[in-house]
């Protein structure tokens, strides 16, 4: 599965050559035209009120992106919640990617300090946020509007939509779109020939942009990207820059935190099931460790006992000093704590460092208070 994914990625970025690759690339391009047309039609139907939008009784802020893969939506959602929770009773709503289907939605994941679900039922990213925060409401709901109804019943007066940019049905006060600085738009093509979820015209809906992982590119590249975003969305209220920061290295079994110096000159066996696996590898190396082996799973992969046994065997064969994964992956491994035992099994805890963060927050607060739902 992983080899097929990498093969398709090489076809999409053009590095895979040959007649077969060219034929597949042509097929993907034709499918991309069809998908792009459907996305445009859907947008027009909502814009002209043929498909009806719904309005929540409280302000809604959406955090999303225009590409598949990881851009840092979840860390940014966590940042927003932390900054705004003193003034609002916040509910975070997500569709819970990778979660099991055996629950009736909208499904309450957590209310204040009471946790009602595990990672399998909540979805990895939503569960990761929920276990960090005791003063927020967390709801899994594919229908974000139905999720807002439950949130309001629980006393929420502000909704944050995690990955909500393509969810047209629910009106919101602001759309915040995150862009990966290294690979902002893949090859500029819509799925499946590229990684764009929608055509570029969709970016006109964005109110704010956050260019994440900017530490991986030079200043001129950031400047070019800002200019492009301002051209694509001339009425946006700001384009901001963020860097991904490593905070600590945390034991999966004991939850004991080590500072980042702990990783220096260590040989690491790494694995992940995230949207941007290369970004995780770079993070490990930036902490001074050497990745001797790296196992990549599909995004939102649900680990089973057999997977963990295989990983432990591969770790032993790699002769690495420790096993390292992401926090998003680690939350699905807590049930296997007995198997992990005393092994040096850790995850990296990360956060965002946002340039001009007070200006960004001022704009968002103004949108919450004065913004018309759209």
């Amino acid at each position: 599965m992983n080899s097929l994914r990498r093969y398709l990625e090489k076809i999409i970025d053009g590095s895979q050559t040959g007649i077969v690759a060219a034929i597949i690339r042509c097929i993907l391009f034709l499918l991309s035209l069809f998908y792009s047309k459907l996305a445009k039609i859907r947008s027009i139907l909502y814009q002209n009120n043929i498909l009806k939008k719904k309005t929540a009784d409280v302000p809604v802020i959406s955090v999303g992106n225009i590409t598949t893969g990881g851009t840092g939506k979840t860390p940014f959602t966590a940042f927003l919640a932390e900054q705004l929770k003193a003034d609002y009773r916040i509910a975070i709503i997500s569709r819970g990617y990778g979660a099991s289907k055996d629950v009736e939605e909208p499904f309450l994941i957590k209310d204040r300090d009471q946790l009602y679900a595990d990672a399998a039922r909540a979805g990895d990213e939503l569960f990761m946020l929920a276990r960090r925060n005791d003063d927020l409401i967390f709801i899994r709901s594919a229908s974000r509007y139905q999720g807002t109804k439950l949130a309001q019943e629980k006393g929420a007066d502000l909704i944050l939509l995690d990955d909500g940019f393509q969810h047209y049905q629910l009106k919101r006060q602001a759309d915040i779109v995150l862009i990966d600085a290294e690979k902002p738009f893949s090859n500029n093509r819509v799925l499946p020939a590229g990684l764009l979820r929608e055509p570029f015209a969709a970016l006109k809906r964005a109110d704010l942009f956050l260019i994440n992982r900017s530490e991986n590119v030079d200043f001129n590249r950031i400047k070019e990207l800002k200019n492009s975003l301002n051209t694509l969305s001339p009425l946006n209220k700001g384009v901001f820059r963020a860097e991904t920061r490593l905070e600590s290295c945390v034991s999966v079994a004991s939850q004991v935190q080590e500072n980042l110096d702990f990783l220096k000159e260590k040989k690491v066996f790494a694995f992940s099931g995230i949207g941007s696996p290369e970004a995780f590898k770079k993070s490990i190396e930036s902490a001074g460790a050497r990745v001797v082996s790296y196992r990549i799973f599909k995004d939102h992969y649900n680990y089973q006992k057999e997977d963990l046994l295989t990983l432990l065997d591969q770790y032993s064969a790699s002769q690495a000093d420790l096993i390292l994964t992401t926090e998003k992956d680690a939350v699905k491994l807590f049930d296997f704590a007995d198997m992990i035992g005393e092994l040096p099994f850790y995850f990296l805890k990360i956060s965002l460092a946002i340039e001009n963060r007070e200006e960004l927050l001022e704009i968002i607060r103004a949108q919450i208070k004065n913004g018309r739902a759209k």
Side-chain angles (χ1 to χ4, degrees), residues 328-341:
K328 174 179 162 180
D329 292 289
V331 297
K332 292 176 282 191
L333 299 171
F334 293 150
D335 290 341
F336 303 126
D338 290 343
M339 292 175 59
I340 295 171

Side-chain angles (χ1 to χ4, degrees), residues 15-249:
S15 61
Q16 186 69 38
T17 59
I19 296 175
V20 174
I23 292 172
I24 294 174
R25 198 173 290 118
C26 182
I27 293 171
L28 292 177
F29 176 69
L30 293 174
L31 291 172
S32 175
L33 292 177
F34 178 69
Y35 181 90
S36 179
K37 188 66 68 176
L38 287 179
K40 287 180 180 178
I41 291 171
R42 178 170 174 261
S43 176
I44 290 170
L45 290 175
Y46 274 106
Q47 286 174 17
N48 291 280
N49 210 29
I50 297 170
L51 292 177
K52 304 293 184 182
K53 290 187 177 184
K54 297 180 179 180
T55 306
D57 294 330
V58 299
V60 176
I61 301 294
S62 167
V63 177
N65 59 12
I66 196 172
T67 58
T68 63
T71 54
K73 297 184 301 294
T74 301
F76 182 69
T77 301
F79 163 79
L80 271 189
E82 180 65 28
Q83 296 301 313
L84 299 174
K85 68 182 182 181
D87 301 314
Y88 298 95
R89 176 82 169 116
I90 297 174
I92 295 175
I93 301 176
S94 170
R95 70 178 300 173
Y97 286 104
S100 60
K101 308 297 183 183
D102 61 345
V103 299
E104 183 178 343
E105 295 186 351
F107 181 51
L108 183 64
I109 304 301
K110 189 174 184 180
D111 184 8
R112 301 184 192 278
D113 61 350
Q114 184 64 48
L115 191 61
Y116 298 101
D118 56 13
R121 292 194 295 168
D124 46 25
E125 291 170 336
L126 194 58
F127 184 73
M128 183 180 78
L129 287 179
R131 64 182 292 271
R132 277 192 188 185
N133 297 275
D134 288 339
D135 44 8
L136 305 174
I137 302 164
F138 295 87
I139 294 170
R140 168 188 156 183
S141 185
S143 168
R144 309 303 203 278
Y145 177 70
Q146 292 302 321
T148 66
K149 290 293 186 183
L150 177 56
Q152 289 167 222
E153 289 176 14
K154 296 297 178 181
D157 55 11
L158 176 64
I159 306 291
L160 299 182
L161 295 186
D162 186 12
D163 198 15
F165 190 55
Q166 283 75 38
H167 193 80
Y168 287 82
Q169 187 186 45
L170 181 62
K171 292 184 178 182
R172 67 289 305 270
Q173 271 63 33
D175 265 306
I176 304 170
V177 174
L178 273 69
I179 305 291
D180 187 314
E182 263 193 306
K183 298 179 179 179
F185 309 118
S186 177
N187 58 0
N188 299 333
R189 291 180 178 172
V190 176
L191 292 166
L195 300 182
L196 290 174
R197 293 177 169 186
E198 302 178 85
F200 280 123
L203 290 176
K204 290 180 181 179
R205 306 196 317 270
D207 299 290
L208 289 163
F209 293 101
L210 186 73
I211 302 173
N212 194 21
R213 303 193 180 108
S214 60
E215 72 275 11
N216 295 326
V217 299
D218 63 32
F219 175 78
N220 288 331
R221 178 59 180 145
I222 297 295
K223 187 176 179 180
E224 290 172 5
L225 194 47
K226 283 185 176 182
N227 290 337
S228 296
L229 293 172
N230 285 324
T231 300
L232 292 165
S233 178
L235 298 180
N236 79 78
K237 294 176 174 60
V239 181
F240 295 85
R241 188 177 69 85
E243 296 182 359
T244 299
R245 295 282 176 85
L246 305 181
E247 288 190 0
S248 59
C249 189

Side-chain angles (χ1 to χ4, degrees), residues 236-303:
N236 79 78
K237 294 176 174 60
V239 181
F240 295 85
R241 188 177 69 85
E243 296 182 359
T244 299
R245 295 282 176 85
L246 305 181
E247 288 190 0
S248 59
C249 189
V250 186
S251 168
V252 173
S254 69
Q255 299 296 292
V256 171
Q257 296 194 41
E258 305 283 355
N259 62 41
L260 292 177
D261 288 342
F262 172 76
L263 289 176
K264 281 186 177 178
E265 300 182 3
K266 292 282 200 312
K267 292 185 295 182
V268 170
F269 170 74
F271 71 93
S272 69
I274 57 175
S276 300
E278 285 305 312
F280 178 55
K281 185 174 184 239
K282 286 182 179 179
S283 293
I284 298 171
E285 292 170 341
S286 71
R290 180 163 64 93
V291 179
V292 296
S293 183
Y294 187 17
R295 177 77 183 274
I296 298 173
F297 294 85
K298 68 178 183 179
D299 196 11
H300 303 288
Y301 187 77
N302 284 316
Y303 298 96

Side-chain angles (χ1 to χ4, degrees), residues 354-365:
I354 300 173
E355 186 180 54
N356 300 324
R357 52 181 274 175
E358 292 307 319
E359 180 185 348
L360 170 66
L361 290 168
E362 184 177 335
I363 294 171
I364 293 171
R365 289 189 176 102

